[in-house]
């Protein structure tokens, strides 16, 4: 065990009996000053809290129905895990958003191995996506499900990055319009064409798919132009089929369906055609964690997801460093107060999210009416 040092002169100390409470007393061999030493177990408690958060353990199964655990971990819910900046250029990055409330979405970016960034926002707007991308080095390819605002942000922040549109989500858009058992021949054929997207392995097959889709569009063009009068207004009779056609036409024109087959990109490594890595490897795990610990309020759900993402980054800090470096509710409140009224206030707090983490979760009134 390391020798105790005097807090005044730094000299060596020796044992000097115990206090009235039984705590061991130490005396400086130089100045005769006495003191006691307490072991700081906060970092150990934080490790226990994070282990519980990532485990299926229930508080109801703990001694005392978890009351002692809740008291010891209360302070840790005030900490906000912050995503580290990622300056490493990755070959493929997956992005997606997981909704936690009517006006709260966590945007997440990950590679095949670990999480590289997350950002809390009100919606999947271009500003929110740009805030996430700004802290991540532009990858060679980004795989996305086509969320709103993403492409505008990608052109502004990652202009040289190629886009792979998740083919399963492209197929899902058509399936929602046609159902799995279309009643019309046109719908059955379009459903089959969309399903073929999931089984293309070469550029020749991709060219054949584009040709078959073009033939379908030409063959059923007149059918899709048919109209009917409803409530005195002329409307297209097959609007759902038209919507499905438009979704595939936009993707075909954008050239983002078959990026995963580009030979030049494949030189740097395989490019997945779907967003399964983040859907199954991240979002599914987050939903399972929230289900296991159901009953948490919105703010704690947000922090729980932030903790999960942070602990799955490439190099998370030890518990002691987390306690020393991560901001808390109080430090963020002070930042908002200091920046209030200044033109740069919004930029100063952008790293915490789109102001959701404080302004919307902490109100001065006794009731909350802005959240479900």
């Amino acid at each position: 065990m390391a020798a105790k040092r005097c807090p005044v002169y730094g000299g060596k100390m020796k044992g000097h009996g115990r206090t009235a409470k039984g705590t061991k007393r130490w005396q400086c061999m130089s100045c005769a000053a006495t003191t006691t030493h307490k072991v700081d177990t906060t970092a150990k408690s934080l490790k226990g809290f994070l282990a519980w958060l990532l485990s299926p353990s229930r508080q109801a199964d703990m001694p005392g129905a978890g009351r002692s655990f809740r008291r010891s971990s209360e302070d840790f819910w005030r900490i906000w895990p912050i995503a580290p900046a990622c300056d490493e250029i990755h070959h493929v990055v997956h992005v997606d958003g997981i909704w936690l409330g009517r006006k709260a979405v966590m945007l997440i970016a990950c590679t095949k191995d670990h999480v590289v960034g997350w950002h809390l926002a009100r919606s999947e707007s271009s500003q929110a996506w740009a805030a996430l991308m700004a802290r991540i080095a532009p990858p060679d390819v980004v795989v996305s499900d086509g969320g709103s605002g993403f492409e505008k942000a990608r052109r502004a922040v990652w202009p040289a990055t190629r886009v792979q549109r998740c083919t399963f989500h492209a197929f899902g858009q058509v399936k929602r319009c046609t159902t799995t058992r279309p009643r019309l021949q046109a719908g059955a054929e379009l459903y089959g064409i969309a399903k073929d997207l999931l089984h293309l392995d070469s550029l020749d097959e991709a060219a054949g798919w584009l040709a078959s889709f073009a033939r379908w569009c030409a063959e059923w063009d007149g059918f899709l132009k048919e109209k009917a009068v409803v409530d005195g207004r002329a409307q297209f009779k097959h609007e759902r089929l038209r919507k499905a056609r438009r979704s595939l036409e936009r993707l075909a024109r954008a050239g983002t369906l078959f990026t995963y087959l580009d030979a030049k990109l494949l030189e740097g490594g395989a490019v997945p055609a779907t967003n399964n890595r983040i859907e199954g490897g991240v979002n599914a795990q987050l939903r399972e964690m929230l289900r296991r610990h159901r009953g948490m309020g919105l703010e704690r759900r947000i922090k729980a997801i932030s903790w999960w993402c942070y602990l799955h980054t490439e190099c998370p800090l030890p518990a002691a460093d987390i306690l020393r470096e991560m901001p808390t509710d109080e430090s963020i409140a002070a930042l908002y107060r200091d920046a209030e009224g200044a033109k740069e206030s919004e930029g100063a707090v952008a790293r915490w999210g789109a102001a959701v983490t404080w302004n919307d979760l902490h109100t001065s009134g006794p009731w909350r009416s802005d959240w479900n």
Side-chain angles (χ1 to χ4, degrees), residues 80-310:
W80 284 95
I82 301 303
C86 177
D87 54 5
E88 178 183 355
I89 298 178
H90 295 280
H91 183 50
V92 178
V93 168
H94 301 259
V95 296
D96 197 15
I98 179 170
W99 285 87
L100 303 173
R102 184 167 56 89
K103 293 183 180 179
V105 59
M106 188 72 78
L107 307 180
I108 302 173
C110 75
T111 65
K112 63 182 180 67
D113 299 316
H114 49 262
V115 175
V116 294
W118 61 94
H119 182 78
L120 178 63
R122 299 174 186 270
S123 64
E124 295 188 49
S125 63
S126 58
Q127 293 89 343
W129 282 114
L132 172 68
M133 297 176 186
R135 294 178 60 82
I136 304 172
D140 298 327
V141 184
V142 58
V143 185
S144 166
D145 62 1
S148 59
F150 168 77
E151 180 56 24
K152 181 179 179 181
R154 200 274 312 168
R155 290 196 301 267
V157 184
W158 291 349
T161 298
R162 298 285 300 279
V163 178
Q164 170 59 50
R165 178 67 158 83
C166 176
T167 54
F168 184 82
H169 281 84
F171 162 68
Q173 283 188 327
V174 174
K175 185 175 69 172
R176 283 193 292 271
C177 295
T178 63
T179 74
T180 56
R181 296 182 178 181
R183 293 184 298 173
L184 300 174
Q185 181 63 26
E189 293 180 10
L190 184 60
Y191 176 78
I193 291 173
K195 195 172 184 179
D196 289 340
L197 274 174
L198 307 178
H199 310 289
L200 303 179
D201 298 321
S202 67
L203 289 175
D204 291 339
E205 292 180 359
W209 184 91
L210 290 171
S212 64
F213 177 60
R215 285 194 299 270
W216 182 91
C217 293
E219 180 181 352
W220 296 100
D221 184 61
F223 176 75
L224 296 181
K225 288 181 179 178
E226 293 179 1
K227 292 186 177 182
V229 178
V230 180
D231 297 331
R233 298 178 58 186
Q235 298 180 1
F236 289 107
K237 295 173 63 175
H238 311 291
E239 183 56 39
R240 292 176 66 86
L241 278 178
R242 292 174 61 87
K243 180 180 179 181
R245 180 184 65 176
R246 285 195 301 270
S247 69
L248 291 180
E249 284 179 337
R250 284 195 297 267
L251 295 175
R253 285 196 298 267
T256 58
L257 277 175
F258 307 116
T259 304
Y260 71 101
L261 299 174
D262 190 316
K264 291 184 178 180
L265 288 176
L266 293 178
E267 293 176 0
V271 177
T274 67
N275 227 4
N276 291 346
R277 171 63 186 89
I278 194 169
E279 290 286 356
V282 177
N283 290 355
Q285 305 301 319
L286 292 175
R287 293 188 179 96
E288 176 64 16
M289 178 186 65
L290 296 179
R291 185 195 66 79
R292 291 196 305 257
H293 304 308
R294 57 186 175 273
M296 293 187 294
L298 178 61
E299 182 180 354
R300 289 198 173 183
R301 294 202 303 273
I302 291 171
K303 289 184 177 179
I305 286 183
S306 299
W307 276 120
W308 191 97
C309 290
Y310 180 77

